[in-house]
Amino acid sequence: MKITLRKVTKTPLDFEVKSNEITFKGYLAYHSGKLILLKANLLGSLTKPCDICAEEFKLSVDEKVEFFISDGIYEDDGNIDLDVVESLDGIVDIEELLASEIELIKSDYHSCDSCKSSDEEL
C-alpha cells in the first residue's frame, strides 16, 4: 500500500496491511511542516530462531509503533529528538515500513520458552 504524503491531512488516514501472521494497523496524520505522524500497532506472531539454542519458535508480537515520516529530507532544528523516516519521492510504502519493523523485532534478543525456563532456574 503506497500513500502519497501530500494527500495526508490532519484527519487521520487509516491503514491496515498484513505480512504472514503480522498485522500492521494504524493511521497517518499531518503533524507540521513536512512531517506526517504514523501511529500503529503490530499484532500477531512470527517465527524466529532462539538466540540461545537456535531452535525456531513462535514469537508473539504486540507492539505500539510511533514515528514521523518526512516528505523530503528532514532537517533537525536540534530542539526535539524525533524518530523520522525520510521519503525522498513523496510516497510512503506501508508494506516496506512493516517489513522494516519486523526486521527490527527479529534483531532484538529473543529466547524460546525452554531457554527462558533454563535461565530462571539459574
Side-chain angles (χ1 to χ4, degrees), residues 1-5 8-9 11-19 22-30 36-43 63-69 85 92-101:
M1 168 187 273
K2 293 185 179 182
I3 298 172
T4 304
L5 293 175
V8 177
T9 65
T11 303
L13 176 64
D14 295 331
F15 66 84
E16 181 175 343
V17 293
K18 295 182 182 187
S19 174
I22 300 281
T23 300
F24 189 39
K25 183 178 180 178
Y27 67 87
L28 295 167
Y30 175 77
I36 306 295
L37 173 65
L38 179 141
K39 271 193 165 186
N41 290 329
L42 285 165
L43 190 60
E63 303 251 343
K64 292 192 182 311
V65 178
E66 183 176 333
F67 56 83
F68 293 94
I69 301 167
V85 173
V92 62
D93 186 339
I94 302 296
E95 280 99 357
E96 190 176 296
L97 293 176
L98 170 57
S100 294
E101 291 297 321

Side-chain angles (χ1 to χ4, degrees), residues 3-121:
I3 298 172
T4 304
L5 293 175
R6 69 178 169 0
K7 292 184 178 181
V8 177
T9 65
K10 287 197 178 272
T11 303
L13 176 64
D14 295 331
F15 66 84
E16 181 175 343
V17 293
K18 295 182 182 187
S19 174
N20 296 327
E21 297 179 42
I22 300 281
T23 300
F24 189 39
K25 183 178 180 178
Y27 67 87
L28 295 167
Y30 175 77
H31 180 70
S32 66
K34 296 196 259 181
L35 295 178
I36 306 295
L37 173 65
L38 179 141
K39 271 193 165 186
N41 290 329
L42 285 165
L43 190 60
S45 63
L46 55 91
T47 303
K48 181 193 182 318
C50 173
D51 288 324
I52 296 173
C53 70
E55 291 293 321
E56 288 201 341
F57 72 102
K58 286 269 191 189
L59 175 66
S60 292
V61 176
D62 185 1
E63 303 251 343
K64 292 192 182 311
V65 178
E66 183 176 333
F67 56 83
F68 293 94
I69 301 167
S70 176
D71 189 2
I73 295 174
Y74 175 67
E75 296 177 18
D76 183 10
D77 59 10
N79 294 334
I80 303 172
D81 192 21
L82 301 176
D83 288 332
V84 178
V85 173
E86 295 176 336
S87 172
L88 301 180
D89 62 0
I91 296 173
V92 62
D93 186 339
I94 302 296
E95 280 99 357
E96 190 176 296
L97 293 176
L98 170 57
S100 294
E101 291 297 321
I102 289 171
E103 288 306 312
L104 282 172
I105 292 168
K106 285 183 175 181
S107 71
D108 284 343
Y109 182 86
H110 298 284
S111 58
C112 67
D113 289 339
S114 298
C115 291
K116 284 180 187 173
S117 298
S118 298
D119 282 347
E120 290 171 4
E121 291 173 5

